[in-house]
Structures are given as structure tokens and as C-alpha cells.
Amino acid sequence: MRHLTRLLTPLTRAVTDPPPAFPEIPTAASGFLTIGNTTYINPAGTYPLFHTPDGSPTPVNNDTDRPLTILTERDHSPPPPDLLLAPGERTDTRRGDWVHVG
């Protein structure tokens, strides 16, 4: 009996350990996010903001139920402020690198 208890000891310790922490998955917004000519359905997280080579502004349409933040690289001195779009707002921008939902 002692041999059986010692054999099962590591198994019981593994069961009582807490589960590993997983990164938080952002909840999706309902609606559509359009960046340039690309439309995302129920977006969540961060999306790239590609600018045209001719320098024309990139349209961003927030047809979701969440606010959007247009983020810019922070290696500029001073860093430019982020551009915020409320639900339903649209803008044409020449700045920014990513669009973050929420």
C-alpha cells in the first residue's frame, strides 16, 4: 500500500496546482471596422494601418459599438498624441501605424 501511495503522489500534486495563466483575449466588438479598402467583421485587438505611397489619407470607418484608437510609434520626440474615434465616426488620416479596438 505504501508503494501505491508514493506512486500516486506526483499525480495528486499536479491536480492541485493552479492552471497556467493564459493571456487575456479581447472581446470582439459588434459591427464593422474599415481601414482603407479592408473591412473587418466584429473586430478585436489591433490591426495594421497601411498608408498609400502617394501620400493620400487613409480612410478609417468605425461602424462598431466600441471606440477605436489610432496608435503611432513612440520613437518620435515628442510622441504624437493618439487619435480616438467614437463608435460611428469616420476619419481620413495620414498618421498612425495601428488601429486598436476598445
Side-chain angles (χ1 to χ4, degrees):
M1 183 70 173
R2 183 173 175 216
H3 178 67
L4 183 60
T5 305
R6 193 175 346 163
L7 180 64
L8 295 177
T9 300
L11 182 61
T12 55
R13 269 194 234 138
V15 171
T16 59
D17 288 343
F22 294 103
E24 185 178 321
I25 298 171
T27 57
S30 62
F32 302 96
L33 165 63
T34 304
I35 302 171
N37 294 326
T38 306
T39 300
Y40 303 96
I41 301 170
N42 299 330
T46 304
Y47 297 88
L49 182 60
F50 297 112
H51 298 286
T52 58
D54 65 358
S56 61
T58 303
V60 178
N61 298 328
N62 181 11
D63 293 321
T64 68
D65 61 348
R66 303 264 174 93
L68 299 179
T69 306
I70 298 177
L71 304 167
T72 304
E73 286 279 347
R74 296 290 181 215
D75 60 354
H76 302 288
S77 180
D82 296 330
L83 180 64
L84 300 174
L85 285 179
E89 283 191 329
R90 294 167 168 74
T91 190
D92 292 331
T93 183
R94 287 186 173 91
R95 65 183 178 127
D97 298 307
W98 303 280
V99 176
H100 180 73
V101 178

